[in-house]
Amino acid sequence: VMCCCGPCAMYRRSALLSLLDQYESQFFRGKPSDFGEDRHLTILMLKAGFRTDYVPDAIAATVVPDRMGPYLRQQLRWARSTFRDTLLALRLLPGLDRYITLDVIGQNLGPLLLALAVLAGVLQVALTATVPLWTVVMIASMTMIRCTTAAV
């Protein structure tokens, strides 16, 4: 997996200690970074040659946002982490499972294409006062593709 989620992740002590310096000195654009630490640590593990596994019957408890504002802030942090750490992981993709590669591409291209479609739709409404039907179809299609990929 490309991200061992914080409350659900377990690491061998020796593996974690071997990467601790890199993990604690996480920088982005020259500044210390403290978001997306679980994804960052997972990618460091993969780069070092360690394996990550998904355990479907594992059980963990965590605190989740119960209001829209905190939920949106969480999603923004996760999105920033995804985009930033994908740059670190690009060289790893050829050696990983094809599904993981597809998932990484979908996690990054999907939101960018969605933002582009929404922007183009807003511009069409503003400039031509017509309903951008193709934008609605594109957004619906992208949503269905992403949901199908996640379900598979």
Side-chain angles (χ1 to χ4, degrees):
V1 294
M2 291 298 290
C3 181
C4 295
C5 300
C8 303
M10 295 176 59
Y11 297 96
R12 285 197 172 101
R13 180 179 174 85
S14 58
L16 189 55
L17 289 175
S18 71
L19 300 170
L20 198 54
D21 288 341
Q22 293 177 67
Y23 175 66
E24 289 182 332
S25 61
Q26 184 180 176
F27 285 86
F28 182 61
R29 295 174 49 191
K31 296 179 183 175
S33 176
D34 62 354
F35 63 88
E37 65 282 347
D38 49 359
R39 181 178 302 273
H40 186 71
L41 182 55
T42 304
I43 291 172
L44 288 175
M45 290 284 178
L46 291 168
K47 283 175 65 175
F50 295 109
R51 200 178 75 216
T52 59
D53 286 319
Y54 171 69
V55 181
D57 57 340
I59 298 173
T62 187
V63 177
V64 297
D66 59 353
R67 294 189 331 271
M68 187 59 72
Y71 171 75
L72 292 175
R73 283 192 296 278
Q74 176 196 59
Q75 294 302 306
L76 180 61
R77 275 194 326 275
W78 286 0
R80 287 188 345 214
S81 160
T82 297
F83 291 128
R84 180 201 58 197
D85 287 325
T86 294
L87 296 175
L88 293 173
L90 286 177
R91 288 176 285 159
L92 297 172
L93 292 180
L96 298 176
D97 183 83
R98 288 180 296 196
Y99 178 77
I100 290 177
T101 301
L102 176 65
D103 188 50
V104 168
I105 291 168
Q107 284 182 21
N108 288 277
L109 283 183
L112 293 174
L113 292 173
L114 181 62
L116 184 61
V118 169
L119 180 62
V122 168
L123 285 173
Q124 181 177 340
V125 169
L127 297 174
T128 66
T130 60
V131 175
L133 182 60
W134 65 269
T135 300
V136 174
V137 170
M138 179 64 71
I139 292 170
S141 299
M142 290 169 55
T143 302
M144 288 177 16
I145 289 168
R146 181 65 184 143
C147 290
T148 302
T149 302
V152 170

